[in-house]
């Protein structure tokens, strides 16, 4: 159970200014690592990397690579998931999404293509031992996945009282996400004492991963707008993710 909550926390972490990549608060090579705790106990690690520019669906994109793993103390359910969102820095929207799931020796692969002109998401899904199948979903304009939405928020004005809304596609459905900047404070982190903005984000997780309140994401109050902490109250317990290591990217890559 802790592992599944970790997977949800990774997506939320990964799993938050128009212009060229050089003017954005993130760039290729940026990498942030987080320690994930379940009910205060270390349960896993998450790593989010902005990959090198590449081509996807005819667009020049930045791969947002999110990796989540449970640790040996996380319980019997072992997680080793990889989530890649292909982010178009010109439109600030995703053009594709790959999700590789390895949970307790059960594996599946899901690939998605976002078609903004048709307002649809086209998917190819495959479970281990079964044949692949195609399915598509009707979605509103400007729909994003959670990883691309988290990075999109970093390009938006973050000030107390600001509200940002965007449709979020979860892999089988969409919901209207609302991010509200509730306040400013200072956090003690592995990066030191950091001034941050506290952002409250609505979710639509299901089952044991359903939240009992909004997820809180803490973004640094500087030009990076870097998520340094995520906290969430699930129906089965609390999960937190705190940054432990950060490497900035480079616009020259």
């Amino acid at each position: 159970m802790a592992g599944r909550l970790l997977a949800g926390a990774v997506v939320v972490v990964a799993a938050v200014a128009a212009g060229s990549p050089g003017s954005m608060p993130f760039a290729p090579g940026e990498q942030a690592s987080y320690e994930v705790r379940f009910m205060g106990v270390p349960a896993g690690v998450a790593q989010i990397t902005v990959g090198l520019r590449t081509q996807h669906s005819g667009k020049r994109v930045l791969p947002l690579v999110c990796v989540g793993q449970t640790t040996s103390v996380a319980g019997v359910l072992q997680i080793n998931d990889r989530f890649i969102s292909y982010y178009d820095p010109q439109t600030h929207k995703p053009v594709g999404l790959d999700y590789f799931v390895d949970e307790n020796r059960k594996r599946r692969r899901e690939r998605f293509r976002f078609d903004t002109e048709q307002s649809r998401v086209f998917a190819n899904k495959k479970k281990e031992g079964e044949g692949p199948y195609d399915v598509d979903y009707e979605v509103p304009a400007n729909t994003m996945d959670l990883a691309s939405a988290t990075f999109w928020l970093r390009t938006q004005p973050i000030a107390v009282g600001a509200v940002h809304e965007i449709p979020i596609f979860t892999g089988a459905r969409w919901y209207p996400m609302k991010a509200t900047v509730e306040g400013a404070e200072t956090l003690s982190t592995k990066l030191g004492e950091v001034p941050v903005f506290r952002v409250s984000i609505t979710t639509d997780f299901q089952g044991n991963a359903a939240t009992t309140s909004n997820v809180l994401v803490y973004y640094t109050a500087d030009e990076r707008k870097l998520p340094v902490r995520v906290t969430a109250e699930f129906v089965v317990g609390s999960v937190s993710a705190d940054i432990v290591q950060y490497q900035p990217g480079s616009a020259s890559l």
Side-chain angles (χ1 to χ4, degrees):
M1 181 178 296
R4 190 168 298 279
L5 293 179
L6 165 64
V10 170
V11 173
V12 173
V13 171
V16 209
S20 66
S23 68
M24 294 192 302
F26 53 89
E30 181 186 86
Q31 187 172 85
S33 299
Y34 299 82
E35 179 186 60
V36 181
R37 290 175 173 263
F38 174 59
M39 300 292 287
V41 178
V45 295
Q47 188 176 81
I48 303 172
T49 304
V50 181
L52 300 180
R53 296 178 182 87
T54 187
Q55 292 286 333
H56 192 288
S57 301
K59 300 290 182 66
R60 189 76 164 164
V61 299
L62 293 175
L64 309 178
V65 184
C66 311
V67 177
Q69 295 178 318
T70 53
T71 58
S72 59
V73 299
V76 294
L77 181 60
Q78 296 300 301
I79 297 291
N80 185 13
D81 290 352
R82 184 159 53 98
F83 180 100
I84 307 173
S85 177
Y86 298 94
Y87 183 87
D88 184 344
Q90 300 302 317
T91 64
H92 299 284
K93 297 181 178 66
V95 300
L97 175 67
D98 289 341
Y99 194 23
F100 303 94
V101 181
D102 184 351
E103 298 179 354
N104 211 28
R105 299 183 180 179
K106 294 182 179 179
R107 300 177 178 87
R108 72 177 189 275
R109 185 263 303 155
E110 299 178 351
R111 288 178 171 164
F112 304 89
R113 179 174 60 86
F114 290 77
D115 190 319
T116 55
E117 292 184 0
Q118 298 187 57
S119 294
R120 303 194 77 83
V121 176
F122 296 90
N124 179 271
K125 300 185 177 185
K126 184 182 186 307
K127 291 184 179 180
E128 189 174 49
E130 300 180 9
Y133 65 95
D134 295 323
V135 62
D136 62 274
Y137 306 89
E138 184 175 1
V139 296
N142 300 320
T143 295
M144 297 184 179
D145 59 81
L146 274 171
S148 62
T150 301
F151 277 79
W152 171 80
L153 280 173
R154 294 176 65 184
T155 72
Q156 304 303 302
I158 298 183
V160 176
V163 178
H164 301 286
E165 299 185 60
I166 197 75
I168 297 296
F169 180 69
T170 63
R173 64 177 68 85
W174 72 272
Y175 76 96
M177 185 192 81
K178 182 177 181 180
T180 304
V181 185
E182 294 185 331
E185 57 190 90
T186 300
L187 286 183
S188 178
T189 75
K190 289 293 182 66
L191 304 182
E193 297 293 317
V194 181
V196 297
F197 287 110
R198 184 180 68 256
V199 182
S200 175
I201 298 178
T202 58
T203 67
D204 188 37
F205 299 137
Q206 305 293 314
N208 288 336
T211 54
T212 59
S213 60
N214 289 352
V215 171
L216 297 179
V217 182
Y218 296 82
Y219 290 86
T220 57
D222 56 24
E223 69 279 356
R224 298 173 303 172
K225 302 176 186 176
L226 176 70
V228 293
R229 177 174 296 170
V230 178
T231 63
E233 293 292 334
F234 294 90
V235 294
V236 293
S238 62
V239 170
S240 64
D242 282 276
I243 196 165
V244 294
Q245 191 173 19
Y246 173 70
Q247 173 183 298
S250 173
S252 64
L253 294 177

